[in-house]
Amino acid sequence: MKVLLRQFWDTWALQERVIIAVVAALMGVALYLWLVHAADGARRQLRSVVTSLHAEASRLDQNAAEIERLRAARATPASRTELRTLVQAQAAALGLSRALVRIDAPDPNQVRVAFGAVPFTDWLAWVITLQSQRIRLDACRIEALSTPGIVSATATLVRAEQQ
């Protein structure tokens, strides 16, 4: 095979062999430059992807650390007091008992309350206090009254499930 290629090459005149060699060298250089350009474009594209992946990995690490922190934190145990008594005591502690119109307990883990005219911020603080004691707001209706910041509210509260 090598002999056949050598014989084929020798059939060309010297000037033709020089032209073929120069054209082949130019094509080789052009191919090399095209490959370098393509590799550089791919490298730049990968660099931007890697940067965004590093940012995503950082966010995931932060989320994982937060999840571990929350898992490690001890959950506030649910109060064993009757739910109606506990809700009424929290309303009295925050000064909302004067606005409390009705409180019904259809079952031991559910209470329905109705407030006449109560400042919305006080009512919201009361709900947040109850949530810290693992009592959640199941349903609620709030209506604004004519006085700014004053509302009437009815709510159904339930004891959060044990985990």
Side-chain angles (χ1 to χ4, degrees), residues 21-86:
V22 168
V23 168
L26 288 175
M27 286 178 60
V29 168
L31 180 62
Y32 175 76
L33 291 175
W34 178 76
L35 287 173
V36 166
H37 176 71
D40 186 53
R43 181 187 53 81
R44 274 188 262 119
Q45 183 181 8
L46 286 175
R47 181 175 284 155
S48 69
V49 169
V50 166
T51 302
S52 67
L53 287 175
H54 278 297
E56 183 69 23
S58 176
R59 282 192 298 274
L60 286 174
D61 286 342
Q62 290 172 351
N63 289 345
E66 179 69 10
I67 288 170
E68 289 302 318
R69 185 189 68 75
L70 291 173
R71 283 183 180 162
R74 293 191 174 249
T76 307
S79 174
R80 298 210 186 272
T81 309
E82 183 184 333
L83 187 57
R84 177 187 173 129
T85 306
L86 187 60

